[in-house]
Amino acid sequence: MGIESGIVTSPPSGLPSRDPTKSYWLRDPNPTLLGHRGTPDLPAEADVVVVGSGITGAFAARFLVEGSWSENLSVVMLEAREVCWGATGRNGGHCQPLVYAATPTVAAFELEVYDFMERLVRDEAINCDWVSLTGVHAFLSKDIFDSAAAAAEQLAQSHPELAANLQVIRRDDPSSTEEKQQRTLASLRIPTAHGAIIQQKAASLWPYKLVASILERLVAAHPPPRFNLQTNTPATSLARADDGSGRWTLTTPRGTITARQVLLATNGYTSHLLPAFADLIVPMRGQVASLLPPLGPSPPQGGETAPVLKHSYVFAADPEPAPESAAAAPRDDYLIQRPLPTGELIYGGGRRLARALGVGEWRDDIVEEDVARYLRRNLCPPLDLSTPPTDGGNDGHQPEEENLELDATHEWTGIMGYSRDRHAWVGAVPEALGGGDGLFICAGYTGHGMPAAALSAKAVVGQMRRAWRSWKGGEEEERDAETDQEMPEIPAEFILSEERVVRARGMPHVTGGWEATVFAELVGA
């Protein structure tokens, strides 16, 4: 059975919306990058074109431009809108490896990416509000907690070095009294949870500022033709050049550009340029809100204060039918807090209330009111924001008003790329999928790109460099061999191959989000 035997039933994605919703993270755009075009006109050609300026595109450009493998390489970046105006600028502000619900190789890779990001932000003094935290995964259903705890226990047996990053909090731990466990859950502000898993490595950050910092530095240090950023220049089509050169031509409203290599860092929009990927990377719309926290009791010095959260959160529960729908989807909501004094709560999820669970939706100019209402009303409970926890925990008190509705400063949507087999696609695109020599992708993170994209981008740049060296006849082989050793090894699950495509097309089509493929897997749904 060949790769072309797969039947694509999903329609290709459209282009990014011209007037998207207003993300909290994009409220203060970088003035250097806003509307930036390295040259007034689009160049007719380049050595490499990177399509997309989110976290993948930014890191790929950094590794391309700052690498030593070709000092004269010209790199053009095309962005359909403004810099980082897609999923990276619209996410929940988390960077958290998923250790217990990922394959061990993927879990180890995500931990490596997390450490890389944490060091980068520190060593290069990147001002992106990075705060290292612990991640609390609160399970609001017993079955899914039992399954998650069993997965953590199995990991402890097979890969203790990975399980060392986890702590399972049980309500009914036989080694402790129920009262003590209730206090432990209450001290995490989740007194009604059936249990929790604490992940030792998690962070909150301002993702747009991270990407903007990387690209601003590239723009300043490497002027065209070395690096040429072209915003508001959507790539509308991609095809082999008709001159027999083996190069690729990208068409835009501002003209065409031809390159020896093209990297698609387009995530949920990949199938617009590669329709054969329509069933492999499916656009998925997520929704997020920035909520003003309720003010707590007056402190002794007077005045009111917002609660301070010391963790990032994920709230998970068993699948349940959405209102007026036969579809069932697990609950998977996520939360971080911005610094005081405002302390906005960045809360995302509620996708079971979204149209078609958000599957196949590529427009981010829409806020669904049912989801928005859910996000405003369903943060507390389950999260206890009523009283500050103490070392011994609080009394598990929830606010008297069950349907407390918080005020939203921003409500927005973003488009992610969900992979049919749940893993990112990194590498050269086969001819049977519309690719061939010189075309690469790094996309399809299934809503979990922050702890995977940076080193996935570095790995695909390594593949591009090796292909370039082969094309150039092995020049500078000794120096390149040294560079090879610096390239990360991505999980086998991420590698793009014809065999993987065949396997993926033997799996069900994408019908739900990351939570439907991860948490539902845990409970056998």
Side-chain angles (χ1 to χ4, degrees), residues 404-415:
L404 173 68
E405 182 164 342
L406 301 178
D407 293 327
T409 66
H410 295 75
E411 295 173 317
W412 70 94
T413 51
I415 308 303

Side-chain angles (χ1 to χ4, degrees), residues 411-454:
E411 295 173 317
W412 70 94
T413 51
I415 308 303
M416 299 161 284
Y418 279 72
S419 171
R420 188 159 175 174
D421 66 2
R422 213 184 87 196
H423 299 297
W425 297 83
V426 181
V429 180
E431 288 188 14
L433 288 174
D437 183 34
L439 181 61
F440 298 81
I441 70 168
C442 190
Y445 299 107
T446 313
H448 208 236
M450 293 301 290

Side-chain angles (χ1 to χ4, degrees), residues 25 129 265 488:
W25 308 118
D129 294 353

Side-chain angles (χ1 to χ4, degrees), residues 320-327 352-354 370:
E320 57 181 89
E324 300 179 0
S325 171
R352 73 181 187 87
L353 300 177
D370 287 346

